[in-house]
Amino acid sequence: MKGRRLRSRARYQIFNRILAMYSIIILLVISLLVVLIAKYVADDFITRSLEANEKQVEALAVYMAERERSLATHLRELYFYPELVESIAVALKNDPETYLEYRLDQYSLQRSFVPSNVESFMRGFYYGDGAIDAITLTSYETDQVYAYVFQYANWNRIQNEGEQQAITLTRPINDGSSTTGIGQLTAYYSSEALRQAVASANNVGFLQMHKEDGTLLFTNRPDPFELPQEEDSGPVYKEMVKNGETFYYKVEQDADRGLYYVGVVPRSEITELSSLVYATIALLIAVACVTVAVGYFVMRRYARRMQRIEASMQLVEQGDLSARIDMSLQNKKDELGSIAGNFNRMLDELKRYIDKSYVLELKKQEAEMRALQAQMNPHFLYNTLEAIRMKAVIEGATDAGAMTFHLASIMRYALSENRSATLGEELEHTKQYMALMEQRYRHALTVEYEVDSSLLMDSILRFSLQPLAENYMIHGFMPDKKDNRLHISIQKKEHVLTIVVCDNGKGMASERLEAIKAKLREEEYQHIEQSIGLANIHKRFQLEYGQPYGLSIHSVADEGTSVQLTCPLEREESDCDESPAC
């Protein structure tokens, strides 16, 4: 009981460690996300606020451009009326008394009931642009100023505060007959109209408009904001700290009108920033808590499944082989379900194994007995052949004795259970077979060997060379021909062992040759052990050494056949150099 409690405690300790590690990882990831998202949200809101302020700056620039365009358009109409140009020229070149007399004379000569004079033309400016408070004409020669006021309250304020702080646009006036300037027209604009024009529902920060000398002409902030002395700041907002508060500002120069448009955004006015950042942080913390809680319940469910698996294993450990894990409580698609299913199948297989162990043991003993009998039979055959050979030698039948010796050597090699042999052993087996064939076909068969002796200790699959010679004796040898020749070459090309067996026998027709090559290209290996022909050798070599190696055949009918067998050398050259057999 004490050991079980310790194991249960250890199990829960592992579960708690996994849960703690999982929670720490989740909290670290969530903390990193909080930092990254908070920074992203802050940067995004700052960018959006600056974009909104930039649109206000653009609206201010567009407003002033439209005012100047309207002023220039209306002023161009002046030169379509020569009498108006003449009237203005008289006013600007003479004193007011002379101009008054001129106006009276012109009025008496006027035939229309609609007055056509400078006053009516100036009122046309106001009708075309309601933002104009007043217009003044100033003479270059006499410095005489004629004022045409449309909004007296605003005009009085301008006079009280000083014209230097008024929003004005000035255009030159020519005498009509030449390009000589005789004076200038100055339009005074309402600051309230400008404030309404740049106001929007998405106002962020404030605007200021300055002259080139720094005179403040307009601001929608109660108290003016002093900026560093600099010209156009470019398209990017700059950052500055003033009185402990951070400001973002942008200065845009209007060289045509001698103005500077300034947009300023205090960081404190980005009101949504703090609340959204805090909301984002709270949301991520809530997600972290929910994730940890879900992980806890999921892990607890897996822990209970592990407990059931462990309980079944403990029963088996105590000797109860009938114990099984209830698969209805396991998810068969996950790893724990797979473990439980494999555990149950293992117990089923173990039970079947125990039930059949006695029968299997009897079969094993029977197989061992047969193996002993199989080992006795070859020894009996070797002894019998040796007795026959010795009797043939004693009686003087040397040829029969030699053939018996060759046959015994061949059978001894054939009955060996080794899978591979040295190249020297395989070559000696082939020589024994060909010596037997030379005894049979005396004076009709010649066998030539061209062997690199340094290769004799290299390993090769058994029955790889002798079947090639036997294939010649069965299919290519011509008994009625006296000059049958078989040439066996064993050489090394780089790191490849190359065996070439060529003859001057029957050869084969091209159709038969293509059929054999197709047989060699087949990828069926099931029955290669039932034959020791060419296909058997080729398949065994490819299975052992890989696809590049094996047999290749060239043959011409009535001229002979050449069979080439290749495999990789298994010993390095350095090993060969050190071997006494090389």
Side-chain angles (χ1 to χ4, degrees):
M1 292 296 293
K2 183 177 180 181
R4 183 174 300 178
R5 286 196 299 270
L6 290 176
R7 286 194 296 270
S8 177
R9 185 180 304 171
R11 179 173 62 249
Y12 281 110
Q13 287 177 354
I14 294 174
F15 169 73
N16 292 333
R17 285 199 295 269
I18 294 175
L19 179 61
M21 185 179 300
Y22 168 80
S23 302
I24 291 173
I25 293 174
I26 292 297
L27 292 177
L28 288 177
V29 172
I30 294 297
S31 300
L32 181 61
L33 287 177
V34 166
V35 174
L36 294 178
I37 293 178
K39 186 178 184 304
Y40 171 78
V41 171
D43 293 343
D44 180 64
F45 270 90
I46 291 174
T47 301
R48 289 165 56 185
S49 300
L50 297 183
E51 289 177 351
N53 184 261
E54 186 176 15
K55 290 181 180 179
Q56 291 180 278
V57 175
E58 293 175 356
L60 179 59
V62 169
Y63 179 83
M64 295 306 298
E66 290 178 351
R67 302 286 75 74
E68 184 174 23
R69 184 165 52 252
S70 175
L71 181 66
T73 300
H74 199 74
L75 186 59
R76 280 196 297 270
E77 296 178 0
L78 172 65
Y79 299 100
F80 291 101
Y81 302 97
E83 64 276 8
L84 290 178
V85 176
E86 181 182 354
S87 176
I88 291 175
V90 171
L92 295 178
K93 292 180 179 181
N94 298 281
D95 54 71
E97 290 78 9
T98 304
Y99 174 60
L100 184 57
E101 293 177 0
Y102 173 79
R103 285 185 58 190
L104 291 174
D105 293 339
Q106 291 296 318
Y107 183 76
S108 62
L109 296 174
Q110 187 175 355
R111 297 180 180 180
S112 175
F113 292 102
V114 179
S116 177
N117 51 38
V118 177
E119 287 80 359
S120 62
F121 182 75
M122 293 304 168
R123 281 195 296 271
F125 280 95
Y126 177 71
Y127 298 149
D129 188 353
I132 297 177
D133 288 338
I135 292 178
T136 61
L137 294 175
T138 305
S139 173
Y140 289 159
E141 295 183 4
T142 63
D143 292 332
Q144 180 67 41
V145 178
Y146 296 90
Y148 302 90
V149 181
F150 311 115
Q151 298 290 341
Y152 284 95
N154 294 340
W155 176 252
N156 291 332
R157 180 180 54 80
I158 292 172
Q159 295 300 312
N160 294 331
E161 295 178 357
E163 296 186 6
Q164 291 296 326
Q165 298 182 354
I167 303 173
T168 61
L169 291 175
T170 301
R171 302 288 294 182
I173 298 177
N174 301 327
D175 61 1
S177 60
S178 66
T179 58
T180 303
I182 59 175
Q184 66 181 16
L185 182 147
T186 302
Y188 294 80
Y189 292 91
S190 170
S191 58
E192 185 61 31
L194 175 57
R195 183 174 288 103
Q196 293 176 1
V198 298
S200 65
N202 194 25
N203 282 351
V204 179
F206 56 91
L207 304 175
Q208 293 186 171
M209 184 169 64
H210 300 264
K211 288 185 178 180
E212 291 181 342
D213 59 2
T215 303
L216 179 64
L217 300 180
F218 170 78
T219 180
N220 55 0
R221 177 187 173 99
D223 53 323
F225 185 81
E226 295 183 4
L227 293 171
Q229 295 295 325
E230 62 174 275
E231 296 184 352
D232 195 336
S233 63
V236 181
Y237 275 78
K238 295 185 176 181
E239 183 176 345
M240 67 174 292
V241 179
K242 184 177 181 181
N243 298 329
E245 185 176 2
T246 301
F247 295 87
Y248 303 95
Y249 71 95
K250 174 183 179 182
V251 180
E252 183 176 325
Q253 184 181 13
D254 187 349
D256 295 335
R257 302 168 188 84
L259 299 173
Y260 286 99
Y261 308 122
V262 182
V264 182
V265 180
R267 188 180 178 89
S268 59
E269 289 192 14
I270 308 177
T271 55
E272 298 181 49
L273 178 59
S274 298
S275 59
L276 278 178
V277 169
Y278 293 147
T280 303
I281 293 174
L283 177 62
L284 291 176
I285 292 175
V287 170
C289 295
V290 171
T291 304
V292 172
V294 171
Y296 171 79
F297 288 109
V298 171
M299 288 186 178
R300 186 173 181 82
R301 179 172 175 269
Y302 277 99
R304 289 178 178 175
R305 292 174 59 189
M306 292 174 63
Q307 291 173 13
R308 297 188 184 99
I309 294 175
E310 184 182 5
S312 299
M313 289 182 176
Q314 289 176 353
L315 291 175
V316 174
E317 182 181 0
Q318 296 171 3
D320 184 5
L321 298 181
S322 63
R324 295 294 185 272
I325 300 173
D326 188 357
M327 295 301 298
S328 63
L329 302 176
Q330 299 288 337
N331 183 2
K332 298 180 181 180
K333 296 182 179 179
D334 62 9
E335 289 79 0
L336 290 180
S338 177
I339 292 173
N342 291 334
F343 179 78
N344 290 342
R345 285 190 292 272
M346 179 193 69
L347 292 177
D348 294 339
E349 292 293 332
L350 180 61
K351 186 176 183 303
R352 282 194 293 270
Y353 173 78
I354 293 174
D355 293 340
K356 295 181 180 179
S357 59
Y358 180 72
V359 176
L360 291 176
E361 183 65 25
L362 291 179
K363 289 184 177 180
K364 180 180 177 181
Q365 293 177 0
E366 182 181 354
E368 290 177 352
M369 182 64 68
R370 289 181 180 178
L372 291 174
Q373 294 174 352
Q375 291 177 3
M376 295 172 59
N377 291 334
H379 289 290
F380 171 75
L381 182 59
Y382 298 153
N383 295 334
T384 302
L385 289 175
E386 182 63 19
I388 295 172
R389 185 182 75 83
M390 293 303 298
K391 183 172 179 58
V393 171
I394 293 172
E395 294 179 356
T398 56
D399 290 344
M403 295 180 69
T404 304
F405 172 76
H406 295 320
L407 177 60
S409 299
I410 292 172
M411 295 189 67
R412 182 178 290 106
Y413 185 83
L415 293 175
S416 175
E417 295 181 357
N418 294 332
R419 187 165 159 274
S420 61
T422 64
L423 184 58
E425 293 172 345
E426 182 68 16
L427 178 62
E428 180 62 27
H429 174 60
T430 304
K431 286 182 177 181
Q432 293 291 345
Y433 173 76
M434 293 310 300
L436 189 62
M437 293 298 103
E438 286 178 317
Q439 289 286 340
R440 179 181 178 185
Y441 300 104
R442 191 183 302 274
H443 307 303
L445 174 62
T446 301
V447 183
E448 300 172 349
Y449 299 95
E450 183 182 355
V451 181
D452 185 349
S453 60
S454 65
L455 303 174
L456 295 179
M457 295 303 297
D458 282 279
S459 177
I460 192 172
L461 292 178
R462 297 175 72 252
F463 297 105
S464 55
L465 178 57
Q466 184 270 336
L468 301 182
E470 183 179 355
N471 185 74
Y472 160 68
M473 296 304 302
I474 295 174
H475 301 290
F477 181 75
M478 293 183 291
D480 56 345
K481 184 179 178 181
K482 298 302 181 180
D483 60 343
N484 290 285
R485 181 176 288 102
L486 179 67
H487 182 84
I488 299 176
S489 173
I490 303 177
Q491 303 294 331
K492 173 178 63 177
K493 296 181 180 179
E494 295 181 353
H495 296 288
V496 178
L497 173 65
T498 303
I499 300 175
V500 179
V501 179
C502 60
D503 61 71
N504 62 346
K506 298 177 183 179
M508 63 186 76
S510 58
E511 296 81 2
R512 175 61 179 166
L513 179 61
E514 291 301 323
I516 294 177
K517 289 182 177 180
K519 183 69 174 178
L520 296 180
R521 288 193 295 268
E522 291 180 358
E523 297 183 355
E524 189 69 29
Y525 301 108
Q526 287 89 325
H527 305 293
I528 62 174
E529 295 182 357
Q530 298 178 2
S531 170
I532 57 172
L534 299 182
N536 176 283
I537 299 173
H538 180 67
K539 302 302 183 185
R540 286 193 298 130
F541 266 58
Q542 287 199 335
L543 288 173
E544 180 72 18
Y545 304 115
Q547 290 294 333
Y549 304 102
L551 276 175
S552 60
I553 304 177
H554 303 279
S555 182
V556 178
D558 300 325
E559 293 186 9
T561 301
S562 175
V563 180
Q564 178 174 291
L565 179 63
T566 59
C567 68
L569 287 173
E570 296 188 356
R571 296 190 305 153
E572 298 292 336
E573 292 183 2
S574 59
D575 298 337
C576 184
D577 293 340
E578 296 175 0
S579 175
C582 294

